[in-house]
Coordinates of all heavy atoms in Angstrom, one line a residue:
M1 N -67.8 -77.2 22.5 CA -66.5 -76.7 23.0 C -65.6 -76.4 21.7 O -64.9 -75.4 21.7 CB -65.9 -77.7 23.9 CG -64.5 -77.3 24.2 SD -64.1 -76.7 25.7 CE -62.5 -76.6 25.7
G2 N -65.6 -77.3 20.8 CA -64.7 -77.1 19.6 C -65.0 -75.9 18.8 O -64.1 -75.1 18.3
K3 N -66.3 -75.6 18.6 CA -66.7 -74.4 17.8 C -66.2 -73.1 18.6 O -65.7 -72.1 17.9 CB -68.2 -74.4 17.5 CG -68.6 -73.4 16.6 CD -70.1 -73.5 16.3 CE -70.5 -72.5 15.2 NZ -71.9 -72.7 14.9
T4 N -66.5 -73.0 19.9 CA -66.1 -71.9 20.7 C -64.6 -71.7 20.7 O -64.1 -70.6 20.5 CB -66.6 -72.0 22.1 OG1 -68.0 -72.2 22.1 CG2 -66.3 -70.7 23.0
F5 N -63.9 -72.8 20.8 CA -62.4 -72.7 20.9 C -61.9 -72.1 19.5 O -61.0 -71.3 19.5 CB -61.9 -74.1 21.1 CG -60.4 -74.2 21.0 CD1 -59.6 -73.7 22.1 CD2 -59.6 -74.6 20.0 CE1 -58.2 -73.8 22.1 CE2 -58.3 -74.6 19.9 CZ -57.6 -74.2 21.1
N6 N -62.5 -72.6 18.4 CA -62.1 -72.1 17.0 C -62.3 -70.6 16.9 O -61.5 -69.9 16.4 CB -62.8 -72.8 15.9 CG -62.1 -74.3 15.8 OD1 -61.1 -74.6 16.2 ND2 -63.1 -75.1 15.2
I7 N -63.4 -70.1 17.4 CA -63.8 -68.7 17.3 C -62.8 -67.8 18.2 O -62.2 -66.9 17.7 CB -65.2 -68.4 17.7 CG1 -66.2 -69.0 16.7 CG2 -65.4 -66.9 17.9 CD1 -67.6 -69.1 17.1
V8 N -62.5 -68.4 19.4 CA -61.6 -67.6 20.2 C -60.2 -67.6 19.7 O -59.5 -66.6 19.7 CB -61.7 -68.2 21.6 CG1 -60.6 -67.6 22.5 CG2 -63.0 -68.1 22.3
M9 N -59.8 -68.7 19.2 CA -58.4 -68.8 18.7 C -58.3 -67.9 17.3 O -57.2 -67.4 17.1 CB -57.9 -70.2 18.4 CG -57.9 -71.1 19.6 SD -56.8 -70.1 21.0 CE -55.2 -70.1 20.2
Q10 N -59.3 -67.9 16.6 CA -59.3 -67.0 15.4 C -59.2 -65.5 15.8 O -58.3 -64.7 15.2 CB -60.6 -67.2 14.6 CG -60.6 -66.3 13.4 CD -61.9 -66.6 12.5 OE1 -62.8 -67.2 13.0 NE2 -61.9 -65.9 11.3
V11 N -59.9 -65.1 16.9 CA -59.7 -63.8 17.4 C -58.3 -63.5 17.9 O -57.7 -62.5 17.6 CB -60.9 -63.5 18.4 CG1 -60.6 -62.2 19.2 CG2 -62.2 -63.5 17.8
V12 N -57.8 -64.5 18.7 CA -56.5 -64.2 19.3 C -55.4 -64.2 18.1 O -54.5 -63.4 18.2 CB -56.2 -65.4 20.3 CG1 -54.7 -65.5 20.7 CG2 -57.1 -65.4 21.5
S13 N -55.6 -65.1 17.2 CA -54.6 -65.1 16.0 C -54.7 -63.7 15.2 O -53.7 -63.2 14.8 CB -54.9 -66.2 15.1 OG -54.1 -66.3 14.0
T14 N -55.8 -63.3 15.0 CA -56.0 -62.0 14.3 C -55.4 -60.9 15.1 O -54.7 -60.1 14.6 CB -57.5 -61.7 14.0 OG1 -58.0 -62.8 13.3 CG2 -57.7 -60.4 13.3
L15 N -55.6 -60.9 16.4 CA -55.1 -59.8 17.3 C -53.5 -59.8 17.3 O -52.8 -58.8 17.3 CB -55.6 -59.9 18.7 CG -57.1 -59.5 18.8 CD1 -57.6 -59.7 20.2 CD2 -57.2 -58.0 18.4
I16 N -52.9 -61.0 17.3 CA -51.6 -61.2 17.2 C -51.0 -60.6 15.9 O -50.0 -59.9 15.9 CB -51.1 -62.6 17.5 CG1 -51.4 -63.0 19.0 CG2 -49.7 -62.8 17.1 CD1 -51.1 -64.4 19.3
G17 N -51.6 -61.0 14.8 CA -51.2 -60.4 13.5 C -51.3 -58.9 13.5 O -50.3 -58.4 12.9
L18 N -52.4 -58.4 13.9 CA -52.5 -56.9 14.1 C -51.4 -56.2 14.9 O -50.8 -55.2 14.6 CB -53.8 -56.5 14.5 CG -55.0 -56.7 13.6 CD1 -56.3 -56.5 14.2 CD2 -54.8 -55.9 12.4
L19 N -51.0 -56.9 16.0 CA -50.0 -56.4 16.8 C -48.6 -56.5 16.1 O -47.8 -55.5 16.2 CB -49.8 -57.3 18.1 CG -48.8 -56.8 19.1 CD1 -49.0 -55.4 19.6 CD2 -48.8 -57.8 20.2
M20 N -48.4 -57.5 15.3 CA -47.1 -57.6 14.5 C -47.1 -56.5 13.5 O -46.0 -56.0 13.2 CB -47.1 -59.0 13.9 CG -46.9 -60.1 14.9 SD -47.1 -61.8 14.2 CE -45.8 -61.9 13.0
V21 N -48.3 -56.2 12.8 CA -48.3 -55.1 11.8 C -47.9 -53.8 12.5 O -47.2 -53.0 11.9 CB -49.6 -55.1 11.1 CG1 -49.8 -53.9 10.3 CG2 -49.8 -56.3 10.2
C22 N -48.5 -53.5 13.6 CA -48.3 -52.3 14.3 C -46.8 -52.1 14.8 O -46.2 -51.1 14.6 CB -49.2 -52.2 15.6 SG -50.9 -51.9 15.2
M23 N -46.3 -53.2 15.3 CA -44.9 -53.3 15.7 C -43.9 -53.0 14.5 O -42.9 -52.3 14.6 CB -44.5 -54.5 16.5 CG -45.0 -54.6 17.9 SD -44.5 -56.2 18.7 CE -42.8 -56.1 18.5
G24 N -44.2 -53.7 13.4 CA -43.4 -53.5 12.2 C -43.5 -52.1 11.7 O -42.5 -51.6 11.3
G25 N -44.6 -51.4 11.8 CA -44.8 -50.0 11.4 C -44.0 -49.1 12.2 O -43.3 -48.3 11.8
I26 N -43.9 -49.4 13.5 CA -43.1 -48.6 14.4 C -41.6 -48.8 14.1 O -40.9 -47.8 14.1 CB -43.4 -48.9 15.8 CG1 -44.8 -48.4 16.3 CG2 -42.3 -48.4 16.8 CD1 -45.3 -48.9 17.6
W27 N -41.2 -50.0 13.9 CA -39.8 -50.3 13.6 C -39.4 -49.7 12.2 O -38.3 -49.1 12.0 CB -39.6 -51.8 13.5 CG -39.6 -52.6 14.8 CD1 -39.8 -52.0 15.9 CD2 -39.3 -53.9 15.0 NE1 -39.7 -52.9 17.0 CE2 -39.5 -54.1 16.4 CE3 -39.0 -54.9 14.2 CZ2 -39.3 -55.3 16.9 CZ3 -38.9 -56.2 14.6 CH2 -39.0 -56.4 16.1
I28 N -40.3 -49.6 11.3 CA -40.1 -49.0 10.0 C -39.9 -47.4 10.2 O -39.0 -46.9 9.7 CB -41.2 -49.2 9.0 CG1 -41.2 -50.7 8.5 CG2 -41.1 -48.3 7.8 CD1 -42.4 -51.1 7.7
L29 N -40.8 -46.9 11.0 CA -40.6 -45.4 11.3 C -39.3 -45.1 12.0 O -38.6 -44.1 11.8 CB -41.8 -45.0 12.0 CG -43.2 -44.9 11.3 CD1 -44.3 -44.5 12.2 CD2 -43.1 -44.0 10.1
Q30 N -38.9 -46.0 12.9 CA -37.7 -45.7 13.7 C -36.5 -45.9 12.7 O -35.5 -45.1 12.8 CB -37.6 -46.6 14.9 CG -38.5 -46.3 16.0 CD -38.3 -47.3 17.2 OE1 -38.1 -48.5 17.1 NE2 -38.5 -46.7 18.4
G31 N -36.5 -47.0 11.9 CA -35.4 -47.2 11.0 C -35.2 -46.1 10.1 O -34.1 -45.9 9.6
L32 N -36.3 -45.4 9.6 CA -36.2 -44.4 8.6 C -36.0 -43.1 9.3 O -36.0 -42.1 8.6 CB -37.5 -44.3 7.8 CG -37.7 -45.6 6.9 CD1 -39.0 -45.5 6.1 CD2 -36.6 -45.8 5.9
N33 N -35.9 -43.0 10.6 CA -35.5 -41.8 11.4 C -36.8 -40.8 11.3 O -36.6 -39.6 11.0 CB -34.3 -41.2 10.9 CG -33.6 -40.5 12.0 OD1 -33.9 -40.7 13.2 ND2 -32.7 -39.5 11.7
V34 N -38.1 -41.4 11.3 CA -39.2 -40.5 11.2 C -39.8 -40.2 12.5 O -40.2 -39.2 12.9 CB -40.2 -41.1 10.2 CG1 -41.5 -40.4 10.2 CG2 -39.6 -41.2 8.9
A35 N -39.9 -41.2 13.4 CA -40.6 -41.1 14.7 C -39.9 -41.9 15.8 O -39.1 -42.8 15.5 CB -42.0 -41.7 14.6
F36 N -40.1 -41.6 17.0 CA -39.6 -42.3 18.2 C -38.1 -42.2 18.1 O -37.4 -43.2 18.1 CB -40.1 -43.7 18.3 CG -41.5 -43.9 18.1 CD1 -42.1 -44.4 17.0 CD2 -42.3 -43.4 19.2 CE1 -43.5 -44.6 17.0 CE2 -43.7 -43.7 19.1 CZ -44.4 -44.2 18.0
L37 N -37.6 -41.0 18.0 CA -36.0 -40.8 17.7 C -35.2 -41.0 18.9 O -34.0 -40.9 18.8 CB -35.9 -39.4 17.2 CG -36.7 -39.2 15.9 CD1 -36.5 -37.7 15.4 CD2 -36.3 -40.1 14.8
D38 N -35.8 -41.3 20.0 CA -34.9 -41.6 21.2 C -34.5 -43.0 21.4 O -34.3 -43.4 22.6 CB -35.6 -41.0 22.5 CG -37.0 -41.6 22.8 OD1 -37.5 -42.2 21.8 OD2 -37.5 -41.3 23.9
S39 N -34.6 -43.7 20.4 CA -34.3 -45.2 20.5 C -33.0 -45.5 19.9 O -32.4 -44.7 19.0 CB -35.5 -45.9 19.8 OG -35.1 -47.3 19.6
F40 N -32.5 -46.6 20.2 CA -31.2 -47.1 19.5 C -31.4 -47.6 18.2 O -30.5 -47.7 17.4 CB -30.5 -48.3 20.4 CG -31.4 -49.5 20.3 CD1 -31.1 -50.6 19.4 CD2 -32.4 -49.8 21.2 CE1 -31.9 -51.7 19.4 CE2 -33.1 -51.0 21.3 CZ -32.8 -51.9 20.3
M41 N -32.7 -47.8 17.8 CA -33.0 -48.1 16.4 C -33.2 -47.0 15.5 O -33.3 -47.2 14.3 CB -34.4 -48.9 16.4 CG -34.3 -50.3 17.2 SD -35.7 -51.4 17.0 CE -37.0 -50.4 17.8
A42 N -33.2 -45.8 15.9 CA -33.6 -44.6 15.2 C -32.4 -44.4 14.2 O -31.2 -44.4 14.6 CB -33.7 -43.4 16.1
G43 N -32.8 -44.1 13.0 CA -31.8 -43.9 11.9 C -31.0 -45.1 11.4 O -30.1 -45.0 10.7
D44 N -31.4 -46.3 11.8 CA -30.7 -47.5 11.4 C -31.6 -48.3 10.3 O -32.7 -48.8 10.7 CB -30.4 -48.5 12.5 CG -29.5 -49.6 12.2 OD1 -29.2 -49.8 10.9 OD2 -29.2 -50.4 13.1
P45 N -31.3 -48.2 9.0 CA -32.1 -48.7 8.0 C -32.3 -50.2 8.1 O -33.3 -50.7 7.6 CB -31.4 -48.4 6.7 CG -30.2 -47.7 7.0 CD -30.1 -47.5 8.5
Q46 N -31.5 -50.9 8.9 CA -31.7 -52.3 9.1 C -33.0 -52.6 9.8 O -33.7 -53.6 9.5 CB -30.5 -52.9 9.9 CG -30.5 -54.4 10.3 CD -29.3 -54.7 11.1 OE1 -28.6 -54.0 11.6 NE2 -29.2 -56.0 11.3
W47 N -33.4 -51.8 10.7 CA -34.6 -51.9 11.4 C -35.8 -51.6 10.5 O -36.9 -52.2 10.7 CB -34.7 -50.9 12.8 CG -33.7 -51.6 13.8 CD1 -32.5 -51.1 14.1 CD2 -34.0 -52.8 14.6 NE1 -31.9 -51.9 15.1 CE2 -32.8 -52.9 15.4 CE3 -35.1 -53.7 14.7 CZ2 -32.8 -54.0 16.3 CZ3 -35.0 -54.6 15.6 CH2 -33.8 -54.8 16.4
A48 N -35.7 -50.8 9.6 CA -36.8 -50.6 8.6 C -37.0 -51.8 7.8 O -38.2 -52.3 7.6 CB -36.4 -49.5 7.6
V49 N -36.0 -52.6 7.5 CA -36.1 -53.9 6.8 C -36.7 -54.9 7.7 O -37.7 -55.6 7.3 CB -34.7 -54.3 6.3 CG1 -34.9 -55.8 5.7 CG2 -34.2 -53.4 5.2
Y50 N -36.3 -55.0 8.9 CA -36.8 -55.9 9.9 C -38.4 -55.6 10.1 O -39.2 -56.5 10.3 CB -36.2 -55.9 11.3 CG -34.8 -56.4 11.2 CD1 -33.9 -56.2 12.2 CD2 -34.3 -57.3 10.3 CE1 -32.6 -56.6 12.2 CE2 -33.1 -57.8 10.2 CZ -32.2 -57.4 11.2 OH -30.9 -57.9 11.2
G51 N -38.7 -54.3 10.3 CA -40.1 -53.9 10.4 C -40.9 -54.3 9.3 O -42.1 -54.7 9.4
A52 N -40.4 -54.1 8.0 CA -41.2 -54.5 6.8 C -41.5 -56.0 6.8 O -42.6 -56.4 6.5 CB -40.5 -54.0 5.6
I53 N -40.5 -56.7 7.2 CA -40.6 -58.2 7.2 C -41.7 -58.6 8.3 O -42.6 -59.4 8.0 CB -39.3 -58.9 7.5 CG1 -38.4 -58.8 6.3 CG2 -39.5 -60.4 7.9 CD1 -37.0 -59.2 6.5
L54 N -41.6 -58.0 9.5 CA -42.5 -58.3 10.5 C -44.0 -57.9 10.2 O -45.0 -58.6 10.4 CB -42.1 -57.6 11.9 CG -43.0 -57.8 13.1 CD1 -43.0 -59.3 13.4 CD2 -42.6 -56.9 14.2
A55 N -44.0 -56.7 9.5 CA -45.4 -56.3 9.1 C -46.0 -57.2 8.0 O -47.2 -57.5 8.1 CB -45.3 -54.8 8.5
L56 N -45.2 -57.6 7.1 CA -45.7 -58.6 6.1 C -46.1 -59.9 6.7 O -47.2 -60.5 6.3 CB -44.6 -58.8 5.0 CG -44.5 -57.7 4.0 CD1 -43.3 -57.9 3.1 CD2 -45.7 -57.3 3.3
V57 N -45.3 -60.4 7.7 CA -45.8 -61.6 8.4 C -47.0 -61.5 9.2 O -47.8 -62.3 9.1 CB -44.5 -62.1 9.2 CG1 -44.9 -63.3 10.1 CG2 -43.4 -62.6 8.4
G58 N -47.1 -60.4 9.8 CA -48.4 -60.1 10.6 C -49.6 -59.9 9.7 O -50.6 -60.4 10.0
L59 N -49.4 -59.3 8.5 CA -50.5 -59.2 7.5 C -50.9 -60.5 7.0 O -52.1 -60.9 6.9 CB -50.1 -58.4 6.3 CG -51.1 -58.1 5.3 CD1 -52.3 -57.3 5.9 CD2 -50.5 -57.3 4.1
G60 N -49.8 -61.5 6.8 CA -50.2 -62.9 6.4 C -50.9 -63.6 7.5 O -51.9 -64.4 7.2
Q61 N -50.6 -63.4 8.7 CA -51.2 -64.0 9.8 C -52.7 -63.5 10.0 O -53.6 -64.3 10.1 CB -50.5 -63.6 11.2 CG -51.2 -64.1 12.4 CD -50.8 -65.6 12.7 OE1 -49.9 -66.1 12.1 NE2 -51.7 -66.2 13.5
V62 N -52.9 -62.2 9.7 CA -54.3 -61.8 9.8 C -55.1 -62.3 8.6 O -56.3 -62.8 8.9 CB -54.3 -60.2 9.7 CG1 -55.7 -59.7 9.5 CG2 -53.7 -59.6 10.9
I63 N -54.5 -62.4 7.4 CA -55.3 -62.9 6.3 C -55.6 -64.4 6.5 O -56.7 -64.8 6.2 CB -54.4 -62.6 5.0 CG1 -54.5 -61.2 4.7 CG2 -55.1 -63.4 3.9 CD1 -53.5 -60.8 3.5
W64 N -54.6 -65.1 7.0 CA -54.7 -66.5 7.2 C -55.8 -66.8 8.2 O -56.7 -67.6 8.1 CB -53.4 -67.2 7.6 CG -53.6 -68.6 8.0 CD1 -53.6 -69.6 7.1 CD2 -53.8 -69.2 9.3 NE1 -53.8 -70.9 7.8 CE2 -53.8 -70.6 9.1 CE3 -53.7 -68.6 10.6 CZ2 -54.0 -71.4 10.2 CZ3 -53.9 -69.5 11.6 CH2 -54.0 -70.9 11.5
S65 N -55.8 -66.1 9.3 CA -56.7 -66.3 10.4 C -58.2 -65.9 10.1 O -59.1 -66.6 10.5 CB -56.3 -65.7 11.7 OG -56.3 -64.3 11.6
V66 N -58.3 -65.0 9.2 CA -59.6 -64.6 8.8 C -60.2 -65.4 7.7 O -61.5 -65.7 7.7 CB -59.6 -63.1 8.4 CG1 -61.0 -62.7 7.7 CG2 -59.3 -62.2 9.6
T67 N -59.4 -66.0 6.8 CA -59.9 -66.7 5.7 C -59.9 -68.2 5.8 O -60.3 -68.9 4.9 CB -59.2 -66.3 4.4 OG1 -57.8 -66.6 4.6 CG2 -59.3 -64.8 4.1
R68 N -59.2 -68.8 6.8 CA -59.1 -70.2 7.0 C -60.4 -70.9 7.2 O -61.4 -70.3 7.7 CB -58.2 -70.5 8.1 CG -58.6 -70.3 9.5 CD -57.6 -70.6 10.5 NE -58.0 -70.3 11.9 CZ -58.5 -71.4 12.6 NH1 -58.6 -72.6 12.2 NH2 -59.0 -71.1 13.8
R69 N -60.6 -72.1 6.9 CA -61.8 -72.8 7.1 C -62.0 -73.2 8.5 O -61.1 -73.5 9.3 CB -61.7 -74.1 6.3 CG -61.6 -73.8 4.8 CD -61.5 -75.0 4.0 NE -62.9 -75.3 3.7 CZ -63.3 -76.4 3.1 NH1 -62.5 -77.4 2.8 NH2 -64.6 -76.7 2.8
R70 N -63.2 -73.3 8.9 CA -63.5 -73.6 10.3 C -63.8 -75.1 10.4 O -64.4 -75.7 9.6 CB -64.7 -72.8 10.8 CG -64.3 -71.3 10.9 CD -65.6 -70.5 11.2 NE -65.2 -69.1 11.3 CZ -65.0 -68.3 10.2 NH1 -65.0 -68.6 9.1 NH2 -64.7 -67.0 10.5

């Protein structure tokens, strides 16, 4: 049970990290007024900074979950 649990949680952790990277990318694009322009975040550079932070945290999550010891 422990080995299966570790594998499942590694996959879940990686998927959460990838979702964070995707959300951060969307926030960056909205903050820079590039895409999804019908949002309250469009054209606000503060959201580009928040998106970059979220994307970096998500990238760290993916790297950690893939490289951690089992």
Side-chain angles (χ1 to χ4, degrees):
M1 165 108 178
K3 189 174 184 179
T4 303
F5 179 77
N6 285 338
I7 292 170
V8 169
M9 292 314 295
Q10 181 180 7
V11 170
V12 169
S13 179
T14 303
L15 289 175
I16 290 172
L18 289 173
L19 180 65
M20 290 168 67
V21 169
C22 291
M23 283 180 59
I26 290 171
W27 288 2
I28 290 170
L29 292 175
Q30 285 180 328
L32 296 176
N33 209 21
V34 175
F36 310 107
L37 302 177
D38 58 346
S39 170
F40 68 93
M41 297 189 292
D44 189 355
Q46 179 180 10
W47 287 102
V49 173
Y50 291 159
I53 293 169
L54 182 64
L56 288 174
V57 170
L59 184 62
Q61 177 77 20
V62 169
I63 291 171
W64 175 80
S65 65
V66 170
T67 60
R68 70 183 182 97
R69 299 179 89 189
R70 290 170 181 82

